[in-house]
Amino acid sequence: MRIVLNTLIAAAFISFAVQAEAANYRDRSVSMAVQAGLDLKKYLGKWYEIARFPNRFERGCVGVTAEYSMRADGDVRVLNTCRKGTLNGKVEVADGSARVEAPGRLSVNFVPWLPFARGDYWLLYVASDYSLAVVGSPKGTTGWILARTPRISAKERAKAEGVLSKNGYDVRELEDVLQK
């Protein structure tokens, strides 16, 4: 029992330490607005990461994709794939789950043995044809522009950045993600 308790305490400490070191890309005094009327079933499928705010868990990742599918328990499977360094680099996969907390608001966990290590995943915008999405978190430590294709138009990029700005993000901090 003592070993289990010590492990839980250590895991909690690590989780809080990692969160404390994360950069904040958002003015948290600005209210965040999530996508109204999100159809989760239309959101499922493969998305390409177009741009992101730098984060420790995607450091050195290019060719990033995220695939969402329904799980038998009603949660969403999240399968993130990254190539390290180059488009031909080593493939790394993170397999997690997301749970709907409220319309347009999900929480994601990639550490199933640490159930309280959930991250906010709020859908700030989804195009009517579900070809473009903007995701953020209230803390402002993460944010992404996602698309169904590896590239988007300048007009789509401007729309996505406008959504991020409206939600308090400093879009100058975005980094483009190399795609095929």
Side-chain angles (χ1 to χ4, degrees):
M1 181 68 177
R2 186 175 183 91
I3 293 172
V4 171
L5 183 58
N6 287 342
T7 302
L8 287 175
I9 290 170
F13 177 76
I14 290 167
S15 175
F16 291 119
V18 166
Q19 289 176 12
E21 87 173 38
N24 185 354
Y25 303 107
R26 189 176 104 65
D27 176 354
R28 292 197 274 175
S29 70
V30 176
S31 295
M32 283 184 73
V34 296
Q35 174 76 37
L38 176 73
D39 184 338
L40 187 58
K41 288 186 177 164
K42 288 183 181 178
Y43 188 77
L44 300 177
K46 185 174 186 174
W47 291 88
Y48 293 86
E49 190 173 285
I50 303 301
R52 66 175 170 249
F53 290 99
N55 59 66
R56 66 170 175 73
F57 52 89
E58 289 185 288
R59 193 171 290 135
C61 285
V62 300
V64 180
T65 60
E67 293 187 55
Y68 304 96
S69 58
M70 291 305 296
R71 294 178 5 158
D73 65 3
D75 283 351
V76 176
R77 181 180 186 207
V78 181
L79 187 65
N80 289 344
T81 304
C82 130
R83 292 194 172 268
K84 280 303 206 178
T86 70
L87 291 173
N88 295 319
K90 178 183 172 196
V91 174
E92 292 188 356
V93 175
D95 197 347
S97 68
R99 148 175 97 207
V100 176
E101 303 292 347
R105 297 179 184 186
L106 288 79
S107 64
V108 180
N109 186 343
F110 289 96
V111 189
W113 55 268
L114 198 59
F116 59 85
R118 300 191 77 77
D120 290 317
Y121 185 95
W122 289 17
L123 291 148
L124 307 178
Y125 170 79
V126 180
S128 61
D129 63 356
Y130 285 73
S131 63
L132 180 69
V134 179
V135 178
S137 70
K139 291 180 182 175
T141 55
T142 57
W144 297 270
I145 298 173
L146 306 173
R148 296 292 189 178
T149 59
R151 286 172 194 57
I152 61 175
S153 70
K155 183 178 177 182
E156 290 170 311
R157 178 65 179 244
K159 172 65 179 173
E161 287 186 7
V163 169
L164 287 165
S165 293
K166 184 179 117 191
N167 284 282
Y169 278 92
D170 181 356
V171 296
R172 296 172 299 181
E173 299 291 333
L174 278 171
E175 62 182 25
D176 291 336
V177 178
L178 181 64
Q179 293 285 355
K180 289 185 179 183

